[in-house]
Amino acid sequence: MNVPLLDLKSQYAAIKNEVEAAIAEVMQSQQFILGPKVEQCERAIAAYSQCSFAVGVSSGSDALLACLMLENIGPGAEVITSAYTFFATGGAIARLGATPVFVDIDPTTYNLNVSQIESKITKKTRAIIPVHLYGQMADMGKIMPLAEKHKLIVIEDAAQAIGAEYKNRRAGSIGHYGCFSFFPSKNLGASGDAGMVVTNDEARAEKLRILRGHGAEPKYHHKIVGGNFRLDALQAAIIAVKLRHLDAWTAARQRNAQLYNQLFKARRVPVTLPVVATGRHIFNQFVIRSSRRNELQAYLQSKNIGTEIYYPIPLHLQECFSYLGYEKGAFPESESAAEETLALPIYPELSQAQIEYVVECVSECLAN
Ligand SMILES: *Cc1c(COP(=O)(O)O)cnc(C)c1O
C-alpha cells in the first residue's frame, strides 16, 4: 500500500468543477491583482476567523513581515518567539534588523512555554509572535495578559492553524494581528503562494492595505515604505471556493487523528501521541514522537509511507542565526523535539485502511 504524506490530487478531484469555474471567472474579468475577488475572500476569511478585518497578502511570510513593518519594528527592537517553528517566523524578525529572542517550547504541545516568556522581556522588547504549531493554538490566555502588562504587540503566527480555537476563540482573533498562510500544503491551500492578515483593529487594517501596495495612498503618493505584498485574484478565488470545504476537511483530519490515537493505544505502540490541550486542534500535522525516530522514518519509507520531520533544526541552531550566540543545549525541549518528532499522513482523504497500515508499520518497526 502507498500512503503519501499529503495527496492534493484527491482533494482537487472532488472540487475540480468549482475551482475551474472560479478560475474561469477571474480569467473573464482579466482583473488579476486585488479587486472584488480578493475583497470577497478577505470578508470570508475575516468572518471565519471571528475578526472584523482581513487583508490579503502575498504569503504567510509576508503577512508576518508586513505586521512587523507596520509596528516599526527594526534595529534595536527585540521580538520574542518560539525556537521551534518554521523558519519564516524568525526570518521575518531578522530581515527587518530586529533581534529574534527565542523561548523554548512546552514538550506536550510544541508551542511556546509561556512560563519562560517574562524573563526574556527587556526594555527593547516590542512584540511576541506565538506560533500555533501543527494546528493547535498556543496558550493565548497566558500570553495576552503578559503582553498587556508590558505593552507588547502580539502577532499570532497562525499559518498552520486557520480555524483552530483557544477556548472557542479562533486563531488570529486574540492578538493584535493573526497571520495565515495559504501555501498549498496548509489546511486551506491556494494554488501557489498566498497569505492573509486578520485583525480587529480598523486603523491597523487600513494601514496594512496601504503597506501591501508600496505604502502608496493615494496612488503614487508614498507616506511610508511598504512592499509588494498583494494577493492575486486567482488565488483569492480558489481560496474562497476551498474555504467552503474547510470545516468538512478539518472534521476528517480530526477523525483520522482519533483513529490513529485509538489504534496506537490499542496496540500499545511505544510512541508519544499528540496532546490536545487548548481547544479545537485542526491537525495541520499529526506528529508522533519516538527516540527511534530516524530508524522509524526509514522503515516507513521502505513501506511506501510518506513522513516528514518538522523541524530537524530549531531556529536558535540555524547557521544564519549564529550571530545571536545561542549554544546547543540552550533550549533542550526544542532540541529533543527536533530529534524525536515525526509527522504522519493526516490529510482528509486518507482511508481507514491506509491509517491501519501506517499504525501496523509503526508498530512492526518499534516492536523489534
Ligand atoms: C507556512 C508557515 C509560514 C510561512 O507561510 P508561507 O505562506 O509559506 O510564506 C510561517 N509560519 C509557519 C509556522 C508556517 O508553517
Side-chain angles (χ1 to χ4, degrees):
M1 196 181 302
N2 190 19
V3 192
L5 180 66
L6 178 64
D7 177 14
L8 288 173
K9 284 184 182 162
S10 59
Q11 182 195 75
Y12 185 59
I15 57 169
K16 187 170 182 286
N17 292 344
E18 283 172 87
V19 171
E20 287 181 355
I23 291 172
E25 229 184 288
V26 175
M27 294 310 291
Q28 285 299 331
S29 80
Q30 288 290 298
Q31 175 154 16
F32 297 118
I33 309 286
L34 301 178
K37 284 286 175 196
V38 170
E39 287 163 24
Q40 192 189 327
C41 179
E42 288 172 339
R43 281 194 297 273
I45 296 288
Y48 189 78
S49 308
Q50 302 172 341
C51 283
S52 309
F53 308 97
V55 181
V57 293
S58 32
S59 69
S61 304
D62 286 344
L64 293 165
L65 189 67
C67 296
L68 292 166
M69 284 173 74
L70 201 69
E71 297 297 331
N72 279 312
I73 288 171
E78 295 177 353
V79 179
I80 294 172
T81 193
S82 173
Y84 188 67
T85 172
F86 179 60
F87 181 76
T89 322
I93 302 164
R95 274 182 68 182
L96 294 172
T99 305
V101 174
F102 298 120
V103 169
D104 208 356
I105 52 165
D106 174 335
T108 58
T109 61
Y110 306 103
N111 282 326
L112 271 184
N113 181 337
V114 290
S115 72
Q116 294 185 16
I117 295 175
E118 196 155 29
S119 65
K120 300 292 175 78
I121 297 174
T122 71
K123 281 190 186 117
K124 294 178 178 172
T125 309
R126 293 282 320 282
I128 304 174
I129 308 183
V131 182
H132 306 321
L133 206 67
Y134 304 148
Q136 170 162 241
M137 287 182 70
D139 192 350
M140 297 303 289
K142 300 235 171 71
I143 293 169
M144 293 313 293
L146 265 183
E148 275 152 36
K149 181 174 160 198
H150 296 275
K151 299 195 165 47
L152 306 177
I153 298 296
V154 176
I155 302 168
E156 295 178 54
D157 183 341
Q160 300 182 6
I162 190 162
E165 289 174 6
Y166 177 89
K167 297 183 179 162
N168 301 317
R169 291 180 70 187
R170 289 258 157 124
S173 69
I174 301 177
H176 298 83
Y177 304 93
C179 296
F180 295 123
S181 165
F182 305 116
F183 185 79
S185 68
K186 309 290 176 166
N187 286 25
L188 181 59
S191 301
D193 279 308
M196 200 165 286
V197 180
V198 289
T199 179
N200 283 308
D201 182 330
E202 186 166 20
R204 285 191 164 103
E206 230 8 82
K207 280 192 207 151
L208 271 171
R209 283 182 215 286
I210 295 169
L211 188 89
R212 75 175 164 186
H214 287 296
E217 176 64 17
K219 212 172 176 183
Y220 305 125
H221 293 70
H222 301 265
K223 287 198 193 77
I224 50 169
V225 178
N228 174 1
F229 302 138
R230 296 176 303 234
L231 177 60
D232 292 2
L234 274 171
Q235 299 305 341
I238 294 167
I239 293 161
V241 166
K242 290 176 95 174
L243 179 62
R244 301 201 288 262
H245 300 274
L246 184 59
D247 282 334
W249 292 335
T250 297
R253 285 173 181 269
Q254 290 168 334
R255 276 199 302 277
N256 292 344
Q258 218 173 354
L259 183 58
Y260 269 128
N261 285 334
Q262 215 177 302
L263 295 173
F264 277 126
K265 281 179 193 158
R267 286 171 152 258
R268 299 176 191 279
V269 182
V271 291
T272 305
L273 297 169
V275 172
V276 179
T278 57
R280 186 183 195 226
H281 191 323
I282 63 153
F283 289 100
N284 178 238
Q285 302 297 343
F286 184 88
V287 173
I288 62 166
R289 191 166 176 150
S290 164
S291 55
R292 293 164 65 189
R293 190 268 314 274
N294 292 348
E295 179 195 341
L296 178 60
Q297 183 176 40
Y299 185 79
L300 294 178
Q301 191 177 6
S302 77
K303 297 287 180 182
N304 293 319
I305 296 169
T307 62
E308 187 61 90
I309 297 167
Y310 301 110
Y311 296 93
I313 307 173
L315 295 194
H316 68 289
L317 300 178
Q318 293 289 346
E319 192 177 336
C320 66
F321 289 144
S322 61
Y323 72 96
L324 295 171
Y326 292 101
E327 310 256 312
K328 200 165 166 50
F331 301 118
E333 296 301 348
S334 299
E335 291 167 32
S336 69
E339 279 165 16
E340 295 184 348
T341 56
L342 190 66
L344 301 180
I346 189 69
Y347 63 90
E349 297 81 7
L350 276 177
S351 69
Q352 178 160 343
Q354 283 176 307
I355 293 172
E356 285 167 357
Y357 176 68
V358 173
V359 173
E360 168 105 27
C361 293
V362 172
S363 172
E364 252 167 42
C365 173
L366 297 180
N368 300 307

